[in-house]
Amino acid sequence: MSIEIRAISKRFGSFVALHDVTLDIPSGELVALLGPSGCGKTTLLRIIAGMESPDSGHILFAGEEATHVHARERKVGFVFQHYALFRHMSVFENVAFGLRVKPRKLRPAEAEIRRRVSELLKLVQLDWLAERYPSQLSGGQRQRIALARALAVEPRVLLLDEPFGALDTRVRKELRRWLRRLHDEMHISSVFVTHDQEEALEVADRVVVMNQGRVEQIGSPDDVYSHPASPFVYQFLGNVNVFHSRVHGAWADIGREQAQDLPADEATAFVRPHDIEIEHRPAPGGLAATVQQVHTVGPLVRVELAYASELIEVELTRERARSLALREGQQVWFRPRELRVFAVPQSGLEEGGSGI
Amino acid sequence: MIGGPPPRRANAEPRWLRHLLIGTGLGFLALFLAIPLIAVFSEALAAGWGRYLEALVDPDAQSAIRLTLIIAISVLPMNILFGIAAAWAIARFDFPGKNLLVTLIDLPFAVSPVVVGLVFLLIFGAQGIFGPWLAANDIKVVFALPGMIIVTMFITAPFVARELIPLMQAQGREEEEAALSLGASGWQMFRRVTLPNIRWGLLYGVILANARAMGEFGAVSVVSGHIRGQTNTLPLHVEILYNEYNAIGAFASASVLALLAVVTLIAKTAVEWRIRRETRVLSESPAQERPVASASRDMGASAGSLRSNPSGEWP
């Protein structure tokens, strides 16, 4: 089922959680709402679920007005960051809950409930835990039970609020691949909230990047990573070096085609650390800098260059680093393979060095 | 092995201090709790079991026991209702006057019970605000059962609410929201999720409120009018008998109250033990994690089978 979000705004006291958010979630897609904490992504998810009501704007489910439909009538499956399993019920009863609370006329018979629950428990591969209580399960198991419980009522939409946020790295990676495969099997429209860009890029069909209550960019994972629409998206998705044109005249020249409409002062260039080339000789468009530090981080070699008063972060492959044989204190020339120029005043963004 | 005193942990208090503290604690307990409790029973039984039972089957004593039970049974449901409502409002919603409500819930603890009795006398008494109206309609509140229930209600109001507020705040709203999103109605959510989660805290509050309702003296004394066989509760009955130098009768009735206290303590401890066990279970070691990836090859099959059954279709 498709979800349309039309000009939703929400305030909590003087804090603006959502500002005029418009968004389409096509049927059957797995969409990630990505952003830093406090950007409004969880509020948006809760508004879709009906647990929060917007101050203005509309929600449409499959083209039908759903803004004032009560949470219990929305047929939405919600998975909480901290699982929210019913602690006094066994795993089996947790999953059966949605079936047991149905109005008498619609409630399946006991045998049917048993069959459906054990099917769902098999689906999440935890049928061997049916008689346990939530407190006896690990975090990953709890989250899979929470998912089975949400699926039991055959929701039209599945909403997941930081579903892997409370798990350790190994379990998180396994679980998100598993979620992706589950989604491919079921084709149920799903929206999940995350602050982890890697998670969003790996799992989602479509990523919605949010900041300060607004949507910054919507696109495929490749799209938002390769073609960030704003300085914020550039900085939030991976490391980036930021250059001001006034200081770095030569680089602004490189980006001139992009920046030709802008006054020279306001142009700011963004370059990813892995998009910078280091040479031993001066090259056209290259800037001179001194090698400050060289670290090997897993498969990459991270080089810090001192350029004027700023630190530039460069990532090289091991082979490239070996052939360059960089030493600390050495003079080198660096130039970007790819960069992006924005005209936005850079207040609030980290300058020089790297963003998040 | 080297001789000498056994090694002492670096952060432990000196032995004499420990003994002093333990001794003081236990001594206090014996002097002010154990000895009076023994004294009550030994005084009550001073003239033998026969006289003891005689004092208890006395019609006035029977009436006092009955009245005490009636008051407790009438007060507790209202207490539970008010306690849950207040705790729910405070833990779940933000509304103007919330802080005032939190403060006011403790008022009955802060006010002397005699004052409470006098206040209700002023409201419902013959010269009180509602007095003339009540008299005109021939409704007796003060010096009758309704007045005694009202003051006891007031005195015991905080117990349940105070137990539930921190509990419900700690548990949060998520389980309730999960229940709603799964299609539960408000009542189903309350009965199947909220109530089971607060049941032990609720029981604990009810036990304390019950003990207080049965033992309350000051406030009830003011509004009761001390009509023997009609408006005397057990504590009032004890006082009257004692003032009449009927030591055995007084202590026999007092022993019923003391017994109630002991039962309350045992019940309270049992519930506390239960609450502790439930919270400990929460932190118990989880079941062995099975790697998801290893089993995920079967997933396609089970998801497929789920889809293929007619009632399990996913929109």
Side-chain angles (χ1 to χ4, degrees):
Chain A
M1 190 198 62
S2 68
I3 306 169
E4 291 161 58
I5 295 154
R6 295 274 165 270
I8 292 279
S9 294
K10 176 75 179 173
R11 286 165 160 276
F12 294 107
S14 62
F15 176 73
V16 180
L18 291 172
H19 187 93
D20 195 21
V21 171
T22 295
L23 180 64
D24 278 338
I25 295 162
S27 188
E29 271 198 6
L30 180 53
V31 175
L33 299 180
L34 173 67
S37 52
C39 75
K41 55 193 192 298
T42 294
T43 306
L44 183 59
L45 196 76
R46 290 174 61 86
I47 287 176
I48 298 174
M51 290 169 189
E52 214 76 71
S53 47
D55 296 338
S56 62
H58 296 273
I59 300 269
L60 285 81
F61 280 9
E64 277 174 44
E65 174 69 35
T67 318
H68 301 291
V69 175
H70 192 275
R72 89 174 67 95
E73 276 131 34
R74 290 199 186 195
K75 299 205 83 183
V76 155
F78 202 97
V79 175
F80 294 82
Q81 179 178 5
H82 298 289
Y83 330 121
L85 293 177
F86 306 127
R87 65 195 87 183
H88 61 282
M89 292 182 204
S90 68
V91 163
F92 183 92
E93 285 304 320
N94 261 281
V95 179
F97 184 88
L99 301 172
R100 291 203 193 285
V101 297
K102 280 184 191 245
R104 190 151 307 175
K105 277 178 286 175
L106 304 172
R107 198 182 305 157
E110 183 63 29
E112 172 68 7
I113 291 179
R114 301 215 148 258
R115 194 182 63 76
R116 289 265 285 280
V117 171
S118 63
E119 245 168 21
L120 283 159
L121 287 176
K122 279 198 197 93
L123 178 71
V124 297
Q125 300 147 26
L126 292 176
D127 45 328
W128 53 291
L129 289 176
E131 297 313 314
R132 302 269 192 111
Y133 281 83
S135 55
Q136 298 166 310
L137 308 184
S138 71
Q141 289 166 342
R142 285 183 210 187
Q143 198 56 294
R144 280 188 278 160
I145 296 301
L147 196 61
R149 182 179 69 175
L151 291 173
V153 292
E154 293 169 19
R156 300 188 288 175
V157 189
L158 189 59
L159 305 174
L160 306 104
D161 183 13
E162 300 259 3
F164 316 124
L167 305 170
D168 65 51
T169 324
R170 187 184 63 86
V171 181
R172 189 156 53 194
K173 280 200 164 173
E174 274 176 13
L175 216 51
R176 71 191 188 206
R177 277 185 211 131
W178 179 81
L179 175 73
R180 178 67 239 187
R181 263 179 300 206
L182 190 73
H183 180 265
D184 291 343
E185 290 292 333
M186 316 248 258
H187 295 297
I188 177 173
S189 310
S190 310
V191 183
F192 77 101
V193 156
T194 180
H195 62 267
D196 181 346
Q197 39 117 347
E198 196 186 312
E199 193 169 295
L201 296 180
E202 184 180 325
V203 177
D205 293 318
R206 185 187 292 255
V207 178
V208 178
V209 186
M210 294 183 64
N211 183 34
Q212 297 181 344
R214 290 163 206 268
V215 172
E216 292 271 338
Q217 189 175 3
I218 305 171
S220 70
D222 186 46
D223 206 30
V224 291
Y225 187 80
S226 312
H227 307 289
S230 69
F232 171 81
V233 180
Y234 223 119
Q235 296 208 331
F236 194 71
L237 297 178
N239 291 342
V240 73
N241 293 298
V242 183
F243 299 92
H244 292 270
S245 66
R246 219 175 355 187
V247 193
H248 311 280
W251 281 38
D253 281 347
I254 295 170
R256 174 147 297 164
E257 278 162 50
Q258 289 174 324
Q260 55 194 191
D261 308 335
L262 313 169
D265 291 17
E266 287 174 23
T268 307
F270 287 73
V271 188
R272 296 246 187 251
H274 57 79
D275 283 333
I276 293 179
E277 187 64 68
I278 295 180
E279 311 272 2
H280 282 300
R281 259 175 264 290
L287 298 173
T290 323
V291 177
Q292 196 85 347
Q293 270 186 323
V294 182
H295 308 283
T296 304
V297 186
L300 293 172
V301 176
R302 193 162 292 159
V303 182
E304 281 181 12
L305 301 178
Y307 172 71
S309 61
E310 287 173 27
L311 274 184
I312 314 290
E313 212 180 287
V314 183
E315 278 171 11
L316 303 172
T317 60
R318 278 175 173 250
E319 292 77 49
R320 180 68 188 145
R322 206 173 300 128
S323 70
L324 280 171
L326 297 172
R327 279 173 290 103
E328 284 169 23
Q330 200 176 17
Q331 172 144 68
V332 291
W333 280 263
F334 67 101
R335 65 187 171 81
R337 273 190 294 263
E338 199 167 321
L339 88 173
R340 186 77 200 269
V341 179
F342 288 102
V344 191
Q346 292 308 300
S347 57
L349 290 181
E350 235 179 303
E351 295 190 4
S354 59
I356 305 158
Chain B
M1 209 179 132
I2 303 161
R8 192 155 63 83
R9 269 182 301 139
N11 62 349
E13 284 77 22
R15 180 166 304 205
W16 64 265
L17 183 62
R18 259 192 298 163
H19 286 222
L20 185 73
L21 287 173
I22 293 169
T24 312
L26 289 180
F28 192 88
L29 203 68
L31 195 64
F32 288 97
L33 296 173
I35 292 179
L37 203 59
I38 294 165
V40 166
F41 284 98
S42 65
E43 281 291 327
L45 294 166
W49 282 94
R51 290 286 305 280
Y52 176 76
L53 291 176
E54 212 172 278
L56 286 185
V57 294
D58 171 76
D60 287 351
Q62 289 283 306
S63 141
I65 292 173
R66 208 176 312 122
L67 186 62
T68 304
L69 289 175
I70 289 171
I71 291 176
I73 289 167
S74 330
V75 161
L76 291 181
M78 290 194 273
N79 233 304
I80 292 170
L81 225 61
F82 167 76
I84 292 177
W88 193 301
I90 287 165
R92 298 288 185 256
F93 309 118
D94 276 313
F95 53 91
K98 181 168 157 173
N99 284 333
L100 194 68
L101 182 59
V102 174
T103 314
L104 278 180
I105 279 181
D106 283 342
L107 184 70
F109 283 167
V111 180
S112 160
V114 176
V115 176
V116 175
L118 284 173
V119 166
F120 281 95
L121 210 54
L122 279 178
I123 297 174
F124 296 110
Q127 274 77 50
I129 304 166
F130 299 117
W133 183 85
L134 289 169
N137 289 282
D138 199 25
I139 301 170
K140 276 186 77 78
V141 174
V142 291
F143 309 134
L145 184 62
M148 298 167 81
I149 290 176
I150 290 171
V151 291
T152 310
M153 174 68 216
F154 182 91
I155 295 286
T156 57
F159 286 100
V160 172
R162 280 182 59 109
E163 277 309 313
L164 292 188
I165 290 167
L167 190 65
M168 291 180 78
Q169 276 172 338
Q171 289 179 344
R173 252 199 84 72
E174 280 199 344
E175 283 182 50
E176 291 167 3
E177 286 177 340
L180 286 182
S181 79
L182 289 168
S185 66
W187 170 247
Q188 284 174 321
M189 175 196 82
F190 176 74
R191 205 177 59 75
R192 288 168 177 264
V193 176
T194 313
L195 202 56
N197 278 347
I198 61 170
R199 61 192 158 174
W200 293 108
L202 184 65
L203 188 58
Y204 189 87
V206 167
I207 289 169
L208 292 181
N210 179 54
R212 184 66 200 264
M214 291 189 172
E216 174 55 26
F217 178 84
V220 170
S221 169
V222 174
V223 296
S224 91
H226 302 271
I227 307 166
R228 215 184 272 214
Q230 285 183 32
T231 62
N232 261 353
T233 61
L234 260 182
L236 303 184
H237 186 62
V238 171
E239 197 217 12
I240 290 180
L241 292 181
Y242 186 76
N243 285 345
E244 291 169 351
Y245 303 104
N246 182 349
I248 290 183
F251 279 104
S253 294
S255 74
V256 176
L257 282 172
L259 211 62
L260 173 77
V262 174
V263 171
T264 303
L265 277 181
I266 292 169
K268 179 173 147 318
T269 312
V271 171
E272 269 175 352
W273 177 80
R274 192 58 219 249
I275 291 174
R276 251 207 316 278
R277 211 184 63 157
E278 291 217 333
T279 42
R280 199 178 52 232
V281 161
L282 288 179
S283 55
E284 241 173 36
S285 63
Q288 197 65 40
E289 177 86 43
R290 264 195 204 169
V292 187
S294 69
S296 58
R297 258 169 275 120
D298 318 335
M299 194 206 67
S302 43
S305 73
L306 195 76
R307 270 196 309 159
S308 62
N309 85 70
S311 59
E313 241 168 59
W314 305 98

